[in-house]
Amino acid sequence: MTTVPGDPASLSACAATTAAVGRRLDALAQALGPEVAALGEGWPGRASVATRRRGGGLADAGAATADELVRVAGVLQDQASDLADLLARARAVEERAEAAGLVVRDERVVPAYGVRGEADAAAQRALTERATGLQAELDLVLAQHRRRRDFVLGVLRESTDRLAALSHGLRHG
C-alpha cells in the first residue's frame, strides 16, 4: 500500500465523465434556447410568456450547470495529474528508504525489522541522518497531498452549493 492515498486513473476517468456530461448538457441547453423562443410565434398570452420564461430559465440553468461541470472536471483532472506525481515521489522515497535498510510505516521512515549488521555508532548515525532526510521529503509530499486534497474538496463543496442553488431556482423559480 502506498503512503499517498488515491487513484489518479479513477480520478481522471471521473474528470472525463464529468466533462462529457457537461458538454452534452451544454449542447442540449444551447438547442433548447431557440426552441423555447420559437414558442411565442402564433401563441400569444400569459401562458405563452410564462412558458417561454420558464423554458428560458431552464436553458440558462442548463448552460450554467454545464459550465460548472466542465470547470469541476478541469479541477479533477489537475488533481489526477498532481496525484500521479505525488505517488511517484512517495514511491521514490520508499524505494530509497528500502535501499538504505529503512521502511515507511504509518507515514514515518523507520529502520526495517531485523538485524542489520554489527553495532556501529557511525553506521547508526548515518542511518539516522538518512532516515531524517527521507522523512523530510516524505513529509513534504504528504503535506502537498493534504493541501491539494483540501483544495479539491473545497471546490467540490462550492460546486455542490452552486448546483443546489441552480436546482432550487428551477424548482421555485
Side-chain angles (χ1 to χ4, degrees):
M1 187 170 121
T2 183
T3 306
V4 175
D7 178 11
S10 295
L11 197 53
S12 182
C14 181
T17 300
T18 302
V21 169
R23 287 189 300 271
R24 178 75 176 126
L25 182 57
D26 186 54
L28 292 170
Q30 297 304 320
L32 180 61
E35 295 297 326
V36 168
L39 288 175
E41 296 175 19
W43 183 23
R46 271 189 243 163
S48 173
V49 171
T51 301
R52 283 180 290 160
R53 185 175 299 134
R54 204 69 181 138
L58 180 61
D60 292 345
T65 300
D67 290 345
E68 186 63 19
L69 290 174
V70 170
R71 183 184 77 82
V72 167
V75 170
L76 292 174
Q77 186 57 55
D78 289 347
Q79 175 65 3
S81 298
D82 290 348
L83 182 57
D85 177 59
L86 291 170
L87 283 168
R89 289 171 50 200
R91 272 192 222 107
V93 169
E94 291 170 352
E95 289 168 3
R96 290 198 321 271
E98 187 178 319
L102 302 163
V103 294
V104 175
R105 190 177 312 122
D106 297 326
E107 298 182 1
R108 305 297 314 157
V109 178
V110 296
Y113 293 129
V115 177
R116 291 178 303 281
E118 292 184 34
D120 178 1
Q124 184 59 38
R125 196 170 33 257
L127 186 65
T128 301
E129 288 174 6
R130 184 74 174 139
T132 301
L134 290 170
Q135 185 65 54
E137 287 182 55
L138 184 60
D139 288 344
L140 177 62
V141 168
L142 292 172
Q144 289 172 337
H145 177 265
R146 282 188 290 272
R147 200 169 31 253
R148 186 68 180 158
R149 179 201 59 214
D150 291 347
F151 168 76
V152 171
L153 289 174
V155 167
L156 293 175
R157 277 191 285 281
E158 291 170 6
S159 180
T160 299
D161 292 345
R162 285 185 188 121
L163 293 173
L166 286 169
S167 175
H168 183 273
L170 284 173
R171 285 192 310 272
H172 301 96

